[in-house]
Amino acid sequence: MDDPTRSTPSSQHNHFAGRVAAGSEQPVILSKNGIRHRRRLPTGEEQEILSIGLACSECFHGERLAKLLKPGFEYEQKAMQELLMGNSASPLSLHTSGGVTHALSEFIEALAPHVPWKDADELDWCVSLQLEGASAVWAAIDMVLQESILVSGNKKRKMVAVGSTSYHGPPSTSFGAKCPLWQKGYQLKYPVPIAGEKIDEAKYVAAFQDFLNQHGEEVGVILFEPQWGSSQAAFPWPKSMLKKYIAMAKANDIRVVCDEIMCGLGRHGNGSIFISKDWELDPDAVTFGKAMGGGVYPVSGAILKRGRDTLARNGCSVMQSHTYAGSSVRSLMTATAVLKELPLWIPSIQKLGEEMEHIFGYLQRKSNGMLVCHGQGLMWGGLFTQEGKMKDPAYKSRAIKCFRKHCEQVGVLPYIVPAGGFMVTPVVDIDVGTVYEIGERMEKVLDLTMQEMEWSIEEEKQCFEIGGPTELDEVVANLLIQSIDLSKCQIRLHETRSCTSCTKFVSPDVRLRFMQTGM
């Protein structure tokens, strides 16, 4: 049989409205192995590119992905055999009005150890399953509001507070700061810290208190992204400030939802599946999504901390329900396998997060003030700053367009975000050598962008290299040499190819270059 990915049929993209301008020709992905994608360009030319963004939508690749997909694959094969023989077959999907499948119980059993609350066994928590992030956020809001109204009897507090810079789904219909089609009369915006700007915690806390004084009695639920996604290019909340905000909201009887669609599933690198657990945020609900289905099947959801029994006594449940809410057996089987596999990769995510810090610190310093970088774990980003020439929107737009062009030229595809920058969120089973390959390619993109935009590379070099190697560089070099000790190799880091205590997975020279000018 002919392979349709290898042919060059007449494009029908002119009838497609997707992420780019409607009717635009788009690259066709022919094959992929982790972040290494082979694609056919609209010109017909084939190209390999490192897809290092993809908005946290994938977690594993290669043999590990096959391992996660295998149980569902075999299940579907068996069902297909029965269908071909005209027999009754196990369901592959089921309308929510018809019941549930066996895969639901197995998924909830796998999820239970990871819900982000102490003494979870004593809580009447419940989970709503959805398909994508926006619906998961809607489900979280509707469950916490229902529970609050049923307990308090107060039906007036239905407003939703969102960050002044935030994104919780497509802006036309979802909660979040942007309102491109119409004003969202059901939400209010509260002040949040801005990436790249000096953060005066006392000032922001005072501003938030003013917001609560003005709107506290009408707000029923408030949304937080513990680590922002596209709206602030992977910027993590200052932990102490976030905890203060949450405590202040709860003191006003406002329910708290932590949106972990992007930063969750261990990607944040703090040690657990949910950062809400590691930071002891104690939200009333938390969302998950993106890579839960392995990057193959759409599945998301919202977990309500307590209130299942209250909802049940009143004959209530989540209102955000629909035909395909948790209906796909293969999706749930894959999600169950993901939850069992992810904890094994937490040490690697943490280790690679440290290496990413070196890389992004280097890029920030090398940009000569044009780029501010931030992140944690395997979720990092950079924003073109608001200082100097970058204050001019036209100049900033030109810089971003130039940066994007050189990404294509170099063969690297970060996630370009509307905030004016990019995100890097590779699969979590990436090896440390490939992490530094990302760093080298992003450095080349930055060099080309700086040359075209006439940002002074020489000035940057003078700033950090006058007089040759600094004492700090020598200290770093000595520490790196000392760290290369085979006897210190941790077995798990070696197995996941994230070890830097030996020279097997990454060149010490490459690593040292990025470490010398880290954050």
Side-chain angles (χ1 to χ4, degrees):
M1 182 182 294
D2 292 337
D3 183 352
T5 67
R6 298 303 171 187
S7 63
T8 53
S10 59
S11 169
Q12 295 296 315
H13 295 176
N14 59 315
H15 296 292
F16 179 63
R19 183 171 288 270
V20 298
S24 299
E25 291 286 339
Q26 298 187 56
V28 175
I29 305 304
L30 305 176
S31 64
K32 52 191 284 192
N33 184 15
I35 66 171
R36 299 184 190 279
H37 290 195
R38 188 79 186 168
R39 64 183 190 173
R40 185 177 64 239
L41 302 176
T43 60
E45 176 190 357
E46 292 190 11
Q47 176 196 42
E48 183 183 277
I49 194 166
L50 297 188
S51 287
I52 60 176
L54 304 183
C56 307
S57 61
E58 300 183 4
C59 49
F60 297 108
H61 75 290
E63 293 180 0
R64 281 169 292 280
L65 179 58
K67 172 186 171 184
L68 302 181
L69 297 176
K70 186 177 180 180
F73 176 71
E74 293 176 343
Y75 176 92
E76 184 165 339
Q77 277 188 313
K78 184 177 179 181
M80 283 292 291
Q81 291 172 358
E82 295 296 337
L83 290 172
L84 288 170
M85 291 187 291
N87 299 332
S88 178
S90 299
L92 297 174
S93 185
L94 187 66
H95 190 280
T96 48
S97 66
V100 298
T101 67
H102 78 282
L104 176 63
S105 292
E106 295 174 1
F107 170 76
I108 294 176
E109 183 179 1
L111 176 66
H114 304 297
V115 296
W117 301 288
K118 296 178 180 178
D119 304 319
D121 291 342
E122 301 174 11
L123 298 173
D124 61 331
W125 64 270
C126 60
V127 59
S128 166
L129 290 174
Q130 304 292 326
L131 288 179
E132 34 64 55
S135 295
V137 173
W138 273 102
I141 291 169
D142 100 42
M143 287 193 293
V144 296
L145 281 180
Q146 284 192 76
E147 187 272 339
S148 176
I149 292 170
L150 290 170
V151 170
S152 69
N154 186 348
K155 298 181 180 181
K156 296 181 179 180
R157 301 183 66 169
K158 295 181 181 179
M159 296 294 285
V160 178
V162 302
S164 56
T165 301
S166 59
Y167 178 92
H168 301 282
S172 59
T173 56
S174 306
F175 290 94
K178 293 188 176 181
C179 307
L181 290 181
W182 51 76
Q183 292 302 308
K184 302 169 186 175
Y186 44 78
Q187 68 175 31
L188 295 165
K189 300 175 187 177
Y190 64 88
V192 299
I194 302 300
E197 297 183 3
K198 182 178 180 181
I199 297 176
D200 184 335
E201 183 171 317
K203 179 181 177 180
Y204 277 108
V205 169
F208 185 57
Q209 184 60 62
D210 289 342
F211 171 85
L212 293 175
N213 292 340
Q214 184 177 357
H215 301 292
E217 293 189 0
E218 56 183 324
V219 173
V221 59
I222 186 168
L223 303 181
F224 291 103
E225 297 171 88
Q227 183 175 4
W228 275 274
S230 58
S231 63
Q232 296 222 58
F235 178 55
W237 262 88
K239 181 179 175 182
S240 63
M241 190 192 303
L242 177 57
K243 297 188 78 167
K244 286 181 181 178
Y245 268 49
I246 289 175
M248 292 164 68
K250 288 188 174 186
N252 282 265
D253 294 323
I254 297 172
R255 297 296 197 269
V256 173
V257 173
C258 283
D259 183 0
E260 296 201 32
I261 298 294
M262 293 194 78
C263 71
L265 300 185
R267 181 173 288 278
H268 52 83
N270 283 268
S272 300
I273 295 296
F274 294 106
I275 193 173
S276 295
K277 182 175 184 178
D278 292 310
W279 284 8
E280 298 181 335
L281 301 180
D282 192 29
D284 296 290
V286 65
T287 62
F288 60 84
K290 293 289 186 181
M292 182 66 88
V296 178
Y297 301 105
V299 62
S300 65
I303 313 172
L304 180 67
K305 177 183 178 181
R306 59 167 60 91
R308 176 203 64 204
D309 295 345
T310 298
L311 294 174
R313 281 194 302 269
N314 290 274
C316 299
S317 185
V318 63
M319 297 179 186
Q320 180 67 26
S321 185
H322 47 84
T323 299
Y324 298 108
S327 65
S328 168
V329 174
R330 289 202 64 175
S331 176
L332 289 175
M333 291 180 75
T334 302
T336 299
V338 166
L339 286 170
K340 292 178 178 179
E341 181 73 17
L342 266 175
L344 303 176
W345 291 85
I346 295 295
S348 177
I349 294 171
Q350 292 176 315
K351 172 60 178 171
L352 294 178
E354 296 172 2
E355 304 305 312
M356 292 277 271
E357 183 173 356
H358 299 319
I359 291 169
F360 276 82
Y362 177 87
L363 295 176
Q364 176 172 308
R365 297 284 289 275
K366 186 167 188 175
S367 75
N368 201 22
M370 294 295 184
L371 192 67
V372 60
C373 299
H374 39 250
Q376 58 184 348
L378 284 175
M379 183 173 169
W380 285 78
L383 287 171
F384 290 97
T385 68
Q386 302 291 335
E387 299 178 1
K389 294 180 181 179
M390 285 297 181
K391 287 183 178 180
D392 179 357
Y395 184 88
K396 186 176 182 180
S397 176
R398 179 179 157 227
I400 295 168
K401 185 177 180 180
C402 176
F403 178 84
R404 186 194 293 263
K405 178 185 71 176
H406 291 304
C407 283
E408 292 280 344
Q409 178 182 343
V410 172
V412 63
L413 184 63
Y415 186 46
I416 306 297
V417 298
F422 63 92
M423 290 176 60
V424 175
T425 58
V427 288
V428 301
D429 62 345
I430 192 171
D431 63 275
V432 67
T434 304
V435 165
Y436 277 97
E437 183 181 353
I438 291 172
E440 290 181 301
R441 292 205 190 190
M442 291 303 294
E443 179 186 15
K444 189 172 182 179
V445 170
L446 184 59
D447 284 344
L448 292 171
T449 302
M450 292 177 73
Q451 290 169 16
E452 183 171 335
M453 297 297 296
E454 298 182 342
W455 299 341
S456 176
I457 297 177
E458 291 303 316
E459 288 180 8
E460 179 271 333
K461 287 183 177 180
Q462 291 174 7
C463 215
F464 302 107
E465 295 182 15
I466 290 176
T470 65
E471 292 183 7
L472 178 61
D473 290 340
E474 292 176 3
V475 170
V476 171
N478 289 332
L479 287 174
L480 182 60
I481 292 170
Q482 294 171 18
S483 71
I484 300 174
D485 182 351
L486 292 176
S487 66
K488 294 181 180 179
C489 285
Q490 297 182 37
I491 294 176
R492 186 55 189 162
L493 293 183
H494 216 71
E495 291 175 343
T496 57
R497 302 176 66 83
S498 53
C499 179
T500 57
S501 294
C502 64
T503 59
K504 186 171 183 179
F505 307 117
V506 62
S507 165
D509 292 337
V510 171
R511 186 166 176 252
L512 175 60
R513 183 162 58 81
F514 283 97
M515 290 179 70
Q516 284 179 322
T517 51
M519 285 181 176

